[in-house]
């Protein structure tokens, strides 16, 4: 998965973190595969819940020589100690979508940044209503912008 994401964003280098879980939300160990010395690092995940994993991964990247670390996730659940962990973490910023409301969390954590999914949902609803292709919405940000300005019924 990491290589596919890297290819989509034209990243020259991919580093992975192998983790061994004891139970859900509890990591036994983490191992870095690759070199991050002197690099800006981006941790990409689907969900941040208690933020334990992403904060430990960020610390590992900094210890290995990463210049900066940013967290990116689709869904910010942020349960329990998540906001405190993120605030105290080595990450510069943590980006999530507003698939879950984040107003209260943003007030508690200056590092938290939120991206609206409203334009994507609006375009999907419009395209369904107009019987246009939805596949364009899943080809990256440029394709979403193109689909939003596309007036023909191709595909």
């Amino acid at each position: 998965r990491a290589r596919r994401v890297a290819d989509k964003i034209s990243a020259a280098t991919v580093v992975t973190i192998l983790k061994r879980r004891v139970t859900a939300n509890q990591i036994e160990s983490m191992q870095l595969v690759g070199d991050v010395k002197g690099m800006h690092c981006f941790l990409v995940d689907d969900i941040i819940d208690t933020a334990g994993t992403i904060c430990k991964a960020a610390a590992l990247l900094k210890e290995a020589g990463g210049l900066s670390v940013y967290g990116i996730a689709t869904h910010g659940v942020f349960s329990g100690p998540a906001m405190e962990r993120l605030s105290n973490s080595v990450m510069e910023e943590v980006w999530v979508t507003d698939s879950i409301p984040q107003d209260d969390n943003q007030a508690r954590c200056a590092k938290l940044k939120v991206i609206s999914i409203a334009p994507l949902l609006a375009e999907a609803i419009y395209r369904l209503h107009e019987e246009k292709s939805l596949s364009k919405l899943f080809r990256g940000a440029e394709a979403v912008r193109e689909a939003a300005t596309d007036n023909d019924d191709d595909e």
Side-chain angles (χ1 to χ4, degrees):
R1 280 191 304 189
R3 172 52 47 201
R4 284 193 311 248
V5 170
D7 288 346
K8 281 196 173 284
I9 63 171
S10 301
T13 304
V14 176
V15 174
T16 58
I17 297 175
L18 304 176
K19 59 188 175 188
R20 172 168 288 179
R21 289 189 183 275
V22 176
T23 60
N25 295 331
Q26 188 177 359
I27 301 293
E28 178 184 314
S29 65
M30 289 184 149
Q31 178 183 357
L32 188 63
V33 179
D35 183 19
V36 297
K37 189 172 184 174
M39 295 185 174
H40 299 284
C41 305
F42 297 86
L43 289 165
V44 180
D45 211 342
D46 56 349
I47 296 172
I48 301 174
D49 185 1
T50 63
T53 301
I54 198 166
C55 290
K56 285 181 183 179
L60 182 63
L61 292 169
K62 285 293 279 188
E63 289 168 14
L67 293 177
S68 62
V69 181
Y70 295 84
I72 303 165
T74 304
H75 309 289
V77 175
F78 302 133
S79 64
M83 290 295 97
E84 182 180 349
R85 286 177 174 169
L86 292 175
S87 293
N88 296 327
S89 76
V90 299
M91 285 183 280
E92 305 288 326
E93 295 176 340
V94 178
W95 288 82
V96 297
T97 70
D98 61 354
S99 63
I100 299 171
Q102 298 297 336
D103 293 340
D104 292 342
N105 290 329
Q106 280 189 289
R108 295 172 51 206
C109 180
K111 294 181 181 185
L112 184 60
K113 310 299 178 194
V114 180
I115 300 168
S116 176
I117 60 170
L120 177 63
L121 293 177
E123 184 61 25
I125 292 166
Y126 168 79
R127 294 185 80 71
L128 282 170
H129 180 73
E130 295 295 321
E131 298 181 7
K132 291 185 174 185
S133 171
L134 284 178
S135 65
K136 284 188 175 184
L137 298 179
F138 301 99
R139 294 187 194 147
E142 187 58 39
V144 172
R145 283 189 289 278
E146 177 186 314
T149 58
D150 184 13
N151 292 323
D152 62 19
D153 287 64
D154 63 336
E155 295 183 33

